[in-house]
Structures are given as C-alpha cells and as structure tokens.
Amino acid sequence: MPKKDKSSLSSYDSPQELAAAPDLTNEEKCEMLRRWKNDLDSRLVAESEGMSNTEPMGQSKEGSLADRLKAVDKVLEDLCGDEDVATETKI
C-alpha cells in the first residue's frame, strides 16, 4: 500500500481526518485547511459564474461542494480560530 503524502489535500477524505492527522503540526493543518477552503470557494464561484472548465455540475454536486466547504469552515474555526470564515464564503 502506497504511503500517503501528508502535505497533499487529496490524502484526506474529510477536514476532520486532516485535523486528526498526528504527523502534522497545527500550523500545517491550518495552512492546508485554508488551501482547501480557497479551492472550494474558487470552484463554487467559477461554477456560479459559468466559468467552470468542465460541464456544468448538477445541483447535487454543487450542494456536496457547499457541504464540504461548511465542514472545512467548521474545522478552521474550531482548530485555527478562523471565526470569520463563514462570512468570507461567497456561494
């Protein structure tokens, strides 16, 4: 079984899994969570503006991304003290 790259967001199925990773510092976790949030924000904004580089996603997929963004925001607030993350999110 290949070893996970601890610095790759794709190594984690959820923000909670990333937050629980024992081999990362809190600073590394917060940096990765902020990158994850920015990626989700960018994807949702691009989709809403019709600028996606793929076929338009369905409401189910868009809702799934929005739910993932809420989960990332929650972990950012809990772990990193990023209290204003929800107000920054533009969906």
Side-chain angles (χ1 to χ4, degrees):
M1 173 182 261
K3 188 175 179 181
K4 282 187 173 183
D5 176 6
K6 71 176 188 173
S7 65
S8 173
L9 289 175
S10 62
S11 295
Y12 303 95
D13 293 327
S14 71
Q16 294 83 359
E17 182 183 351
L18 189 157
D23 53 346
L24 295 172
T25 66
N26 273 2
E27 185 175 314
E28 290 171 322
K29 293 173 187 179
C30 291
E31 178 185 324
M32 291 176 70
L33 286 162
R34 289 181 186 112
R35 281 197 331 246
W36 201 340
K37 176 188 170 32
N38 288 337
D39 177 58
L40 290 169
D41 274 337
S42 296
R43 290 172 64 191
L44 285 167
V45 168
E47 185 65 29
S48 72
E49 294 177 354
M51 297 173 25
S52 175
N53 62 356
T54 60
E55 290 293 317
M57 66 177 74
Q59 285 183 326
S60 172
K61 173 80 172 176
E62 192 170 354
S64 176
L65 285 178
D67 289 344
R68 177 64 55 106
L69 180 58
K70 287 178 190 175
V72 170
D73 283 344
K74 173 78 171 109
V75 175
L76 269 169
E77 182 178 340
D78 293 346
L79 182 69
C80 310
D82 290 10
E83 295 177 17
D84 59 339
V85 292
T87 59
E88 293 176 10
T89 303
K90 298 172 187 161
I91 298 177

